[in-house]
Amino acid sequence: LRQGEPNWAEHSAMFSSVVNTALIYEVPLVVWGEDIAFEFGGLQRQESKPSALEIDNSDLIKEKTIKDWLDNDVSERDVFFYTYPDYDKLKEAGINSIYLGHFLPWYGRRNYEIVKARGFVGRQNGPLSGNFLDYDNIDEKLCEINIWFKYLKFGFWRATDQCCYDIWNDQMTRDEAIEIVNRLSDEFPKEYFQDFLRFHNVSEQEFWDTVEKFRNKDIWEMESGQWKLKYPLK
């Protein structure tokens, strides 16, 4: 509730647990997919590089560490796999970590076609609410609410992300994207909302109270009892 980013702990564990496991079992090479900041935008302040050794230094983690959440009930021992190892320790152990996207052309739609030919199927009920694609981020139930918070803060979320990626890869025009984004962006990710509430042990009222704390009033305005973007995509 304080963070306004429900998947922060999940992302922290995802990066830290993999690299800690590599240290424990002396695995010399860790291979990730794409460099998220380079592919999708974010806190990219310099040219992207193949090394993913500092993967925890990203938009997903920001300046926080798991130690910010320690209290009398949670000790450092409890959060070992949420704690990213020291960079020097990784170098001394000879652990290399790379982004595969620097060695292969990285495009989600192309990746999907490759795995589809090998048996993978998209979401059988069609795209999730607010989504244009039926195969993107369908491996868990919590992420959609997390991404939807981006809509409150920045005025865009899944549909914009997915359409921009297709535009970059010459698979869609801007006019086509505008129609899709304006049609889908106001959809709330309802499919797993109750699962989200149960997992985080919050009531629906607590959720909506928290939502309003993070709504960016610079880009949203109340109109006829409903929140509307001040600057819709045109």
Side-chain angles (χ1 to χ4, degrees):
L1 297 179
R2 281 185 294 154
Q3 180 79 359
E5 190 172 354
N7 278 47
W8 186 90
E10 177 185 325
H11 289 137
S12 181
M14 178 174 64
F15 297 142
S16 301
S17 62
V18 170
V19 179
N20 273 307
T21 300
L23 270 175
I24 293 169
Y25 291 101
E26 300 180 345
V27 178
L29 180 63
V30 177
V31 180
W32 303 91
E34 72 275 35
D35 179 344
I36 297 171
F38 184 70
E39 293 289 340
F40 303 109
L43 292 176
Q44 191 69 43
R45 297 291 181 263
Q46 58 187 9
E47 184 179 354
S48 183
K49 52 189 178 182
S51 174
L53 197 66
E54 299 180 14
I55 195 171
D56 65 316
N57 184 23
S58 70
D59 246 359
L60 295 177
I61 305 300
K62 301 182 177 65
E63 73 283 356
K64 292 186 177 296
T65 72
I66 196 64
K67 293 182 180 179
D68 293 320
W69 311 105
L70 298 181
D71 57 24
N72 293 332
D73 296 320
V74 182
S75 69
E76 289 195 36
R77 178 183 175 87
D78 296 324
V79 296
F80 173 77
F81 281 109
Y82 289 83
T83 306
Y84 200 84
D86 182 78
Y87 299 149
D88 289 336
K89 187 175 182 180
L90 292 173
K91 292 175 183 177
E92 290 171 6
I95 305 295
N96 287 310
S97 185
I98 64 169
Y99 293 112
L100 188 60
H102 273 269
F103 301 91
L104 297 173
W106 196 265
Y107 178 29
R109 188 179 292 278
R110 184 185 298 113
N111 295 345
Y112 170 62
E113 293 301 329
I114 292 172
V115 297
K116 182 180 178 181
R118 289 159 176 78
F120 181 86
V121 294
R123 189 170 184 270
Q124 294 184 345
N125 291 331
L128 291 163
S129 297
N131 281 247
F132 164 59
L133 304 174
D134 65 0
Y135 58 82
D136 192 21
N137 281 280
I138 60 173
D139 56 334
E140 53 119 316
K141 294 183 176 181
L142 304 179
C143 191
E144 290 306 296
I145 296 291
N146 185 70
I147 297 298
W148 179 77
F149 263 75
K150 187 165 68 173
Y151 192 39
L152 304 174
K153 299 172 183 178
F154 305 110
F156 69 95
W157 68 298
R158 278 280 191 238
T160 302
D161 292 341
Q162 293 169 349
C163 287
C164 282
Y165 211 38
D166 271 355
I167 291 174
W168 299 337
N169 287 278
D170 297 321
Q171 298 297 311
M172 182 182 293
T173 67
R174 186 178 188 276
D175 287 341
E176 290 172 330
I178 289 173
E179 187 279 322
I180 293 170
V181 169
N182 287 335
R183 173 165 49 86
L184 296 177
S185 289
D186 278 337
E187 293 183 358
F188 178 73
K190 61 184 182 299
E191 285 83 356
Y192 303 122
F193 183 44
Q194 295 303 318
D195 297 280
F196 178 92
L197 296 178
R198 283 194 295 272
F199 182 85
H200 291 92
N201 194 28
V202 297
S203 68
E204 193 164 338
Q205 186 61 53
E206 285 179 293
F207 173 83
W208 290 112
D209 288 345
T210 302
V211 161
E212 293 311 318
K213 293 178 184 178
F214 291 95
R215 188 184 296 276
N216 183 353
K217 303 303 195 304
D218 290 334
I219 62 173
W220 290 92
E221 61 184 355
M222 184 65 75
E223 183 180 300
S224 302
Q226 290 188 323
W227 286 107
K228 299 286 186 181
L229 283 173
K230 293 181 181 179
Y231 315 106
L233 189 61
K234 296 181 180 179

